[in-house]
């Protein structure tokens, strides 16, 4: 165990209200590719750049291609929680962790047993009819073809936040309250490139800030602990 990991363990042992703020790097150890690292989603070939395909305007103008990309690249039904997801769920059961704030849409935190999860960018497990608002699960999307249609005939849209769309206000408010009240904030698996999500850490008022990320982040952080090892390996030592 490195000195940085030892220090983080001491912080965790003494904490009473941990909040974890995570991104795509949390799920890479579950086999889900991240977006921006080498080999990530943004470095793969497609008809248009992923950030274009995953925009609201593209969804409206080219829905067939949107859903072809969405099913191929964003759905990972075989993925299972890794050590990071499981450790966070364990801390919640122990009453140490107040909430998980995640930019991920894969639902792996809930699959591991976490209950207080603020999904800033939505979830692939929720899909709704744009006409009648009926909700459908992940299996419906996996089994559908082309533009998925509700029993009423309306298009079924994934309940995920696309580029050009705003975040859910209730989710934002809950995340802000949790971060502001935390006595330990752990940031993991995120490059802090995506706003407004990355800006939420500005609400942290505590003195203990830890960063676990394999590469440099997009902003300066006054982190007392910085670890560049895979997050699942790190949290498994806690």
């Amino acid at each position: 165990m490195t000195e940085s990991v030892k220090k983080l363990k001491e912080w965790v042992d003494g904490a009473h209200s941990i909040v974890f703020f995570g991104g795509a790097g949390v799920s890479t150890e579950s086999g889900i590719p991240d977006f921006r690292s080498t080999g990530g989603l943004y470095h793969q070939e497609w008809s248009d750049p992923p950030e274009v395909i995953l925009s609201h305007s593209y969804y409206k103008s080219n829905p067939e291609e949107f859903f072809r990309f969405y099913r191929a690249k964003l759905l990972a039904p075989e993925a299972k929680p890794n050590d990071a997801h499981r450790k966070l769920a364990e801390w919640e059961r122990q009453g140490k962790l107040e909430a998980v704030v995640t930019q991920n849409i894969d639902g792996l935190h809930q699959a591991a047993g976490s209950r207080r999860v603020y999904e800033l960018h939505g979830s692939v497990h929720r899909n709704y009819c744009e006409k009648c608002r009926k909700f459908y699960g992940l299996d419906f999307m996996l089994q559908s073809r082309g533009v998925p249609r509700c029993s009423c005939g309306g298009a079924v849209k994934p309940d995920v936040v696309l580029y050009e769309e705003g975040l859910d206000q209730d989710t934002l408010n809950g995340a802000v309250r949790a971060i502001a009240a935390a006595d330990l904030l752990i940031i993991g698996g995120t490059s802090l490139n995506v706003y407004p999500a990355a800006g939420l850490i500005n609400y942290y008022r505590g003195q203990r800030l830890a960063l676990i990320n394999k590469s440099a982040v997009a902003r300066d952080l006054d982190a007392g602990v910085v670890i560049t090892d895979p997050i699942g390996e790190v949290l498994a030592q806690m």
Side-chain angles (χ1 to χ4, degrees):
M1 185 181 293
T2 66
E3 289 303 314
S4 293
V5 174
K6 287 180 181 178
K7 185 173 182 179
L8 178 58
K9 187 177 188 307
E10 291 174 2
W11 282 7
V12 168
D13 290 343
H16 302 286
S17 183
I18 302 170
V19 168
F20 179 82
F21 181 95
V26 178
S27 294
T28 55
E29 290 168 78
S30 295
I32 298 178
D34 67 2
F35 277 64
R36 290 179 170 81
S37 66
T38 302
L41 188 58
Y42 278 17
H43 291 265
Q44 298 176 14
E45 293 296 325
W46 207 259
S47 59
D48 292 290
E51 61 266 33
V52 173
I53 299 175
L54 295 175
S55 67
H56 180 81
S57 57
Y58 193 96
Y59 165 75
K60 286 296 188 182
S61 65
N62 200 347
E64 290 276 354
E65 187 70 358
F66 170 88
F67 278 107
R68 189 170 76 89
F69 180 90
Y70 180 78
R71 292 187 182 96
K73 295 300 182 182
L74 270 68
L75 302 184
E78 304 303 320
K80 303 297 182 185
N82 60 52
D83 286 339
H85 299 106
R86 288 189 287 269
K87 180 58 67 172
L88 293 168
E90 177 186 318
W91 288 346
E92 183 179 352
R93 289 192 298 271
Q94 294 171 349
K96 298 181 71 65
L97 184 134
E98 178 63 26
V100 169
V101 180
T102 181
Q103 300 172 82
N104 295 343
I105 59 176
D106 51 45
L108 291 181
H109 286 293
Q110 290 92 332
S114 290
R115 302 181 65 182
R116 291 187 294 274
V117 183
Y118 294 102
E119 295 174 304
L120 298 175
H121 296 154
S123 173
V124 299
H125 294 274
R126 298 188 302 270
N127 307 275
Y128 64 92
C129 173
E130 293 187 291
K131 183 177 179 181
C132 73
R133 312 303 288 185
K134 180 179 178 180
F135 269 80
Y136 292 86
L138 177 61
D139 286 344
F140 171 84
M141 190 61 68
L142 291 168
Q143 295 165 9
S144 64
R145 295 293 181 269
V147 178
R149 294 287 175 182
C150 175
S151 55
C152 77
V156 177
K157 180 183 183 296
D159 191 17
V160 300
V161 179
L162 304 177
Y163 290 100
E164 305 167 350
E165 294 181 338
L167 304 190
D168 177 76
Q169 196 60 50
D170 289 340
T171 302
L172 269 178
N173 291 341
V176 167
R177 286 194 297 269
I179 291 171
D183 61 5
L184 170 58
L185 177 62
I186 302 174
I187 300 170
T190 175
S191 57
L192 297 176
N193 270 299
V194 179
Y195 283 80
L200 295 185
I201 64 174
N202 294 334
Y203 290 93
Y204 180 55
R205 297 292 179 263
Q207 301 301 311
R208 294 182 171 182
L209 175 63
L211 174 64
I212 309 170
N213 201 54
K214 293 172 70 175
S215 58
V217 297
R219 53 180 294 186
D220 291 330
L221 293 175
D222 187 20
V225 170
V226 177
I227 302 171
T228 56
D229 297 323
I231 190 167
E233 293 180 14
V234 173
L235 294 192
Q237 300 177 64
M238 296 293 105

